[in-house]
Amino acid sequence: MGLRRALRVQLSALCRRAPLSTAPAAREQPAAGPGTEPGRGPAETARPPVPAVDFGNTQEAYRSRRSWELVRSLLVLRLCASPALLARHEQLLHLARRLLGQRLFNTLMKMTFYGQFVAGEDQESIRPLIQHNRAFGVGSILDYGVEEDLTPEEAERSEMESCSSALERDGHGISKREKQFQAHRAFGDRRDGVTSARTYFYASEAKCDSHMETFLRCIEASGRASEDGFSAIKLTALGRPQFLLQFSDVLTKWRRFFHHVAAEQGKAGLAAVDTKLEVAALQESVVKMGIASRAEIEDWFTAETLGVSGTLDLLDWCSLINSRTELSRHLVVPNMQTGRLEPLLSRFTEEEERQMTRMLQRMDVLAKKASQAGVRLMVDAEQTYFQPAISRLTLEMQCRFNVERPLIFNTFQCYLRDAYDNVTLDVELARREGWCFGAKLVRGAYMAQERARALEVGYEDPINPTYEATSIVYHRCLDYVLEELKHNARAAVMVASHNEDTVRFTLHRMEELGLHPANRQVYFGQLLGMCDQISFPLGQAGFLVYKYVPYGPVMEVLPYLSRRALENSGVMKGAQRERQLLWQELKRRLCTGSLFHQPA
Ligand SMILES: Cc1cc2nc3c(=O)[nH]c(=O)nc-3n(C[C@H](O)[C@H](O)[C@H](O)COP(=O)(O)OP(=O)(O)OC[C@H]3O[C@@H](n4cnc5c(N)ncnc54)[C@H](O)[C@@H]3O)c2cc1C
């Protein structure tokens, strides 16, 4: 049985076994959501033009905000821009807590940073804010923002233990995994150098169950909050990361092997989706490397598997591997030196097999719950050493659940050198297999950490060389997806960016391609407390825009607040412009006597 089929069978078999939650049985094929128009190309119906949006009109941008909220934003963003303060913010918070006591400290936080970036302590208290934003056309993606406050040493210990197998720890197999996909103590604390994203460390299976329960509650709350909600999950919260590392290593090696053969055939440098291998030459390479005998290989490439083209692309190659490789053997890699397929590790222990199974079970439970609640599930992208596996597992869920509309959204990080290949291959696979493509495009949150790790450990930096290169890749990927949306009304994308140019670029292309917001295919996403001057004008003009809305008790979201402060300090190009616009609006209200503006 092939890898993809085996994963799917495993997923469906798992959910027939003892469920992990009390979630009732769910429909696998969700009813089409409001506004979805399956099977109809958007160009087929005449639509009014795409509405114009003015991001410089501060009166409109801040119509939903009272003046004291503008002052708070200004103060918080100004403090975030002070390098001296940022460098010592943890000590300062600690000192403030000691001087003020917990209650006053909480109040101070709620009046400042917490009030700016976090919606409230629990699902009840965040409701007014969600409703308020909705009234101004802005939806919510709920995100329970609690993180365990581990010391760096605890984080490192947990990472080293959970990223290696029992066999590796006994010293029997570590050499087979590439450096990039091994745990390294110096980078064990994955929180270092990360903006935006929350980090999970593996503690136990029970802890993963509790993360799953949290995600389930967010899905339920999103379902209650709107008919068109989103919820976000992270796969590192749902299981032992060792499995993600090993699987990522295998997937990367298979892809590299394809490119190696392509280079042999003089086809280096093409986009993966355009690279076609000559089958006859490929057969020679495979036989020469001893991966299969000539007799075996002839069976592999039939007219049925290849059509009439006589060539094979990366997707054909992967499906070929999938159909040759049993799940128990899927951790095998071609060894370039010996030319043989070798198991990556001799085997998982029984306990590790169970852990891997339970991770897949948890994903399945969440996807079913989302399907039942009519909530779209966005799977966040994480570090490059986990991401190939995260993306592949997400794709398996998409294939199963995105039958009538995109229920599961994958995330593509455009700061990666191979982002365009990743996006185009998934779009192409969705076309071939007939499921609905759904994606969130981001620039990426792990840049500093990824670069430092690549340099220190000694592998190629996976990130684009410059910010400009990242923006070019983002727009290229987005353009490709928008073109797809034009021809396929069942595909959707979320442009998750605070970058005004990127949002403008999207609006411009939507106009050109005739992608009206009423088609409900293009979504925008920003974080709560950031770039309201983008979110609210979009929402008020009728575009589909969502805020990532973190919530949780003050002390437990402090790590998140630290990262918010750091991200606003400079990586975000929009932070300075936001301060200018806030000033402009405050001055306008002062001059026009509307300082006591009541949002209506
Ligand atoms: C709704 C939402 C969901 C998100 N989900 C995810 C997710 O699942 N995974 C994830 O990783 N991130 C995620 N993010 C975070 C996102 O990646 C960051 O917000 C983003 O990096 C900031 O980019 P921007 O387009 O908003 O702003 P900009 O200021 O235009 O871009 C800043 C980004 O550009 C890139 N960059 C900066 N300098 C360089 C350089 N020298 N070379 C190369 N690249 C550079 C970095 O990625 C940096 O973060 C999400 C953000 C939002 C709003």
Side-chain angles (χ1 to χ4, degrees):
M1 188 189 306
L3 166 60
R4 303 228 13 231
R5 209 161 350 122
L7 277 171
R8 280 172 207 164
V9 167
Q10 180 131 356
L11 276 166
S12 40
L14 294 171
C15 47
R16 288 196 296 274
R17 291 185 208 147
L20 285 169
S21 85
T22 48
R27 285 176 282 133
E28 264 191 37
Q29 300 191 6
T36 44
E37 296 147 285
R40 189 197 56 76
E44 286 168 31
T45 308
R47 291 268 183 207
V50 172
V53 188
D54 179 359
F55 297 115
N57 181 341
T58 59
Q59 187 173 354
E60 275 305 299
Y62 299 115
R63 196 152 61 84
S64 66
R65 296 282 174 251
R66 292 185 176 82
S67 298
W68 68 262
E69 291 174 299
L70 301 187
V71 174
R72 180 183 67 193
S73 299
L74 207 47
L75 175 78
V76 167
L77 295 180
R78 186 70 206 91
L79 291 176
C80 290
S82 159
L85 213 76
L86 279 182
R88 291 179 200 83
H89 76 277
E90 279 174 358
Q91 294 95 310
L92 288 172
L93 286 176
H94 186 68
L95 184 69
R97 216 168 102 211
R98 278 188 46 202
L99 291 177
L100 298 173
Q102 191 65 52
R103 271 179 70 146
L104 267 179
F105 176 76
N106 284 2
T107 310
L108 178 72
M109 291 306 288
K110 284 183 179 174
M111 287 167 66
T112 55
F113 291 91
Y114 181 96
Q116 173 76 13
F117 297 122
V118 183
E121 304 232 359
D122 51 38
Q123 283 168 19
E124 280 312 303
S125 62
I126 65 177
R127 218 171 263 185
L129 183 126
I130 290 175
Q131 282 166 0
H132 178 81
N133 284 354
R134 241 182 107 196
F136 288 87
V138 177
S140 298
I141 305 168
L142 300 192
D143 179 28
Y144 189 61
V146 170
E147 274 179 51
E148 267 178 286
D149 202 6
L150 299 182
T151 63
E153 294 73 33
E154 287 167 335
E156 264 173 41
R157 205 172 319 121
S158 157
E159 189 72 350
M160 295 310 290
E161 198 278 327
S162 62
C163 284
S164 55
S165 68
L167 280 169
E168 285 172 338
R169 283 196 299 281
D170 294 347
H172 292 112
I174 191 91
S175 60
K176 298 222 173 87
R177 243 195 288 165
E178 294 215 348
K179 288 187 278 191
Q180 184 181 359
F181 300 102
Q182 293 173 23
H184 296 275
R185 189 167 293 281
F187 296 91
D189 188 348
R190 279 183 275 119
R191 296 167 299 186
D192 286 346
V194 174
T195 54
S196 304
R198 194 167 46 264
T199 306
Y200 291 93
F201 292 95
Y202 181 82
S204 63
E205 289 300 298
K207 193 82 199 162
C208 295
D209 284 340
S210 109
H211 292 150
M212 182 189 73
E213 292 295 337
T214 304
F215 290 146
L216 284 171
R217 283 196 295 276
C218 278
I219 295 171
E220 277 167 13
S222 300
R224 279 197 303 271
S226 78
E227 286 180 359
D228 206 12
F230 280 98
S231 207
I233 63 167
K234 276 200 166 43
L235 291 200
T236 46
L238 296 180
R240 207 181 156 81
Q242 168 208 338
F243 170 57
L244 295 176
L245 280 172
Q246 290 178 309
F247 194 18
S248 294
D249 188 32
V250 175
L251 294 168
T252 305
K253 281 184 175 140
W254 273 122
R255 200 189 256 210
R256 215 174 281 155
F257 183 67
F258 176 88
H259 288 301
H260 172 79
V261 179
E264 278 190 348
Q265 295 189 10
K267 292 176 180 154
L270 290 176
V273 80
D274 298 327
T275 306
K276 313 267 183 220
L277 301 186
E278 300 300 329
V279 170
L282 174 67
Q283 284 175 323
E284 282 305 312
S285 303
V286 170
V287 171
K288 205 168 72 195
M289 294 184 84
I291 288 174
S293 70
R294 193 170 295 279
E296 280 171 325
I297 198 103
E298 259 152 32
D299 278 3
W300 290 15
F301 307 108
T302 59
E304 202 182 47
T305 53
L306 293 175
V308 287
S309 66
T311 60
L312 172 136
D313 66 14
L314 185 53
L315 293 174
D316 298 324
W317 173 245
C318 290
S319 79
L320 192 72
I321 298 307
N322 291 330
S323 64
R324 300 283 134 196
T325 319
E326 290 176 15
L327 182 62
S328 57
R329 289 180 52 218
H330 82 250
L331 296 177
V332 293
V333 287
N335 181 325
M336 299 294 220
Q337 272 83 44
T338 64
R340 306 224 155 262
L341 283 182
E342 289 182 348
L344 185 70
L345 287 174
S346 351
R347 61 187 165 81
F348 282 156
T349 63
E350 270 179 35
E351 178 55 19
E352 285 165 351
E353 286 266 14
R354 263 198 301 276
Q355 287 167 346
M356 183 180 96
T357 303
R358 285 170 74 83
M359 183 175 189
L360 298 177
Q361 267 182 314
R362 292 183 188 105
M363 287 165 55
D364 191 67
V365 167
L366 292 170
K368 284 188 164 169
K369 180 75 183 178
S371 164
Q372 185 194 40
V375 170
R376 269 85 40 100
L377 205 57
M378 291 199 305
V379 182
D380 282 352
E382 306 188 45
Q383 283 90 345
T384 41
Y385 38 96
F386 297 136
Q387 193 50 33
I390 291 174
S391 197
R392 168 55 69 97
L393 294 173
T394 307
L395 192 138
E396 296 305 327
M397 291 204 286
Q398 290 183 305
C399 182
R400 210 161 141 237
F401 288 91
N402 290 10
V403 178
E404 291 182 7
R405 65 167 185 147
L407 182 82
I408 314 283
F409 279 53
N410 211 342
T411 300
F412 295 93
Q413 295 158 311
C414 297
Y415 66 11
L416 297 181
R417 290 175 196 265
D418 56 5
Y420 185 74
D421 280 351
N422 296 339
V423 172
T424 50
L425 284 169
D426 272 19
V427 169
E428 178 59 25
L429 192 66
R431 282 184 205 136
R432 287 185 198 179
E433 296 190 341
W435 45 268
C436 307
F437 179 81
K440 170 176 61 148
L441 295 187
V442 299
R443 280 187 168 75
Y446 306 91
M447 183 178 75
Q449 187 194 90
E450 292 276 10
R451 285 206 160 139
R453 192 177 189 269
L455 185 70
E456 176 86 17
V457 175
Y459 56 92
E460 193 193 356
D461 180 358
I463 310 287
N464 292 314
T466 61
Y467 172 73
E468 289 68 30
T470 291
S471 292
I472 290 170
V473 173
Y474 194 112
H475 291 190
R476 190 166 171 230
C477 293
L478 179 58
D479 212 27
Y480 188 90
V481 174
L482 292 174
E483 284 279 355
E484 174 67 11
L485 263 49
K486 179 185 170 190
H487 301 290
N488 178 0
R490 300 191 313 152
V493 68
M494 173 172 279
V495 180
S497 174
H498 306 95
N499 185 308
E500 213 173 290
D501 292 337
T502 295
V503 173
R504 279 185 205 286
F505 174 83
T506 314
L507 299 181
H508 175 67
R509 292 296 287 141
M510 285 174 76
E511 174 74 56
E512 283 183 345
L513 297 168
L515 290 169
H516 196 272
N519 293 352
R520 309 188 77 79
Q521 288 181 283
V522 182
Y523 299 84
F524 294 89
Q526 285 91 37
L527 302 176
L528 184 75
M530 285 166 75
C531 293
D532 284 355
Q533 82 277 9
I534 294 180
S535 317
F536 283 86
L538 281 174
Q540 283 154 208
F543 290 91
L544 304 165
V545 55
Y546 287 78
K547 288 282 199 191
Y548 246 51
V549 175
Y551 65 98
V554 175
M555 288 312 292
E556 296 186 34
V557 294
L558 275 187
Y560 173 82
L561 286 175
S562 282
R563 284 201 306 277
R564 285 272 52 74
L566 289 172
E567 183 168 15
N568 275 293
S569 69
V571 190
M572 277 275 315
K573 304 286 175 270
Q576 201 180 349
R577 166 143 168 93
E578 191 169 1
R579 294 209 307 274
Q580 281 166 1
L581 293 175
L582 284 162
W583 255 125
Q584 199 176 313
E585 175 60 7
L586 272 174
K587 281 191 278 184
R588 191 197 64 79
R589 289 190 187 178
L590 209 65
C591 297
T592 56
S594 49
L595 213 49
F596 296 100
H597 164 79
Q598 288 293 330

